[in-house]
């Protein structure tokens, strides 16, 4: 009997403690609720809890309703303002993104042109790749070198022919001088013989 009484007493005390704790929590929650502070949800909860009940209805003070309406309108106005500010920020960011995209596109285009100019060479108004440009330039250099060798060959050949011609001319001139000297000696000899014959004829 004593044990059963003790157990019953302990259970009763525990239930009373839980009830008092629940009432205390509810009282604290009601104390935290306010019509002039906190969230709109808390303000509605304050009005619902503090309003009088009549059957299935709640009797609410008009001043509370007007205050709740004013607070709700203020909250909506603040939300609209925040939304407008957020939209403005979003619009500015979208404009900045568009500007950055345009700048990036221009930069990529400039980079592509720079790479193209770097990899291509302008020659006679034509754009040539580095490989084609190098091939063309070395072909021109090789052609000019071949022409130079050809002109050197022609010059040496002409110089050789000129020396040969001069040598032959000198030989001809030498032969001509020798022939003229011999002809002159023959002419003088013939004249002497003719003069001798004339002298002989006169003597007779």
């Amino acid at each position: 009997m004593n044990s059963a009484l003790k157990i019953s007493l302990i259970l009763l005390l525990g239930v009373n403690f839980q009830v008092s704790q629940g009432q205390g929590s509810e009282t604290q929650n009601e104390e935290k609720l306010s019509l002039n502070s906190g969230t709109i949800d808390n303000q509605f909860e304050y009005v619902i809890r503090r309003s009088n009940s009549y059957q299935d209805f709640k009797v609410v003070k008009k001043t509370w309703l007007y205050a709740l309406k004013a607070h709700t309108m203020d909250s909506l106005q603040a939300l609209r303002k925040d939304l407008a500010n957020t939209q403005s920020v979003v619009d500015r960011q979208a404009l900045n993104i568009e500007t950055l995209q345009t700048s990036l596109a221009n930069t990529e285009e400039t980079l592509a042109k720079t790479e193209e100019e770097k990899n291509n060479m302008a020659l006679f108004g034509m754009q040539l790749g580095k490989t084609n440009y190098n091939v063309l330039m070395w072909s021109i250099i090789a052609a000019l070198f071949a022409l130079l060798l050809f002109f050197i060959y022609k010059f040496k050949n002409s110089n050789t022919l000129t020396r040969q011609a001069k040598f032959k001319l000198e030989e001809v001139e030498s032969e001509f001088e020798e022939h003229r000297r011999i002809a002159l000696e023959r002419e003088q000899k013939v004249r002497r013989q003719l003069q001798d014959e004339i002298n002989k004829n006169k003597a007779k």
Side-chain angles (χ1 to χ4, degrees), residues 33-142:
L33 298 176
S34 173
L35 184 61
N36 297 317
S37 63
T39 63
I40 295 295
D41 183 60
N42 287 340
Q43 293 177 19
F44 269 102
E45 190 66 26
Y46 174 85
V47 170
I48 292 170
R49 289 189 182 186
R50 291 298 181 92
S51 298
N52 296 323
S53 297
Y54 175 74
Q55 294 181 358
D56 291 335
F57 304 99
K58 280 284 187 179
V59 180
V60 183
K61 294 181 180 180
K62 288 184 178 180
T63 55
W64 289 4
L65 288 177
Y66 287 130
L68 190 57
K69 177 184 176 182
H71 296 163
T72 304
M73 295 301 295
D74 290 341
S75 297
L76 289 175
Q77 188 67 24
L79 287 174
R80 290 192 187 99
K81 186 177 180 181
D82 290 341
L83 182 61
N85 292 335
T86 303
Q87 186 63 41
S88 177
V89 171
V90 170
D91 292 340
R92 286 198 303 271
Q93 289 179 348
L95 181 61
N96 289 336
I97 290 173
E98 184 178 357
T99 303
L100 289 174
Q101 287 177 343
T102 303
S103 178
L104 178 61
N106 293 333
T107 303
E108 288 177 349
E109 183 179 358
T110 303
L111 180 61
K113 288 182 179 179
T114 303
E115 287 292 331
E116 184 179 358
E117 290 176 357
K118 179 182 176 182
N119 294 326
N120 295 324
M121 300 290 182
L123 184 65
F124 305 123
M126 297 183 299
Q127 289 291 334
L128 298 175
K130 276 189 175 181
T131 303
N132 295 331
Y133 179 83
N134 290 332
V135 170
L136 181 61
M137 289 303 297
W138 282 109
S139 298
I140 293 174
I141 291 172

Side-chain angles (χ1 to χ4, degrees), residues 151-169:
F151 283 122
I152 291 173
Y153 169 75
K154 294 294 288 184
F155 175 77
K156 287 186 176 180
N157 191 27
S158 298
N159 193 23
T160 301
L161 293 175
T162 301
R163 285 200 302 269
Q164 291 177 355
K166 284 183 178 180
F167 180 74
K168 288 182 178 179
L169 179 61

Side-chain angles (χ1 to χ4, degrees), residues 14-30:
V15 169
N16 288 334
F17 178 76
Q18 288 180 354
V19 169
S20 62
Q21 283 285 69
Q23 290 177 350
S25 299
E26 185 176 356
T27 304
Q28 288 179 356
N29 289 335
E30 287 184 359

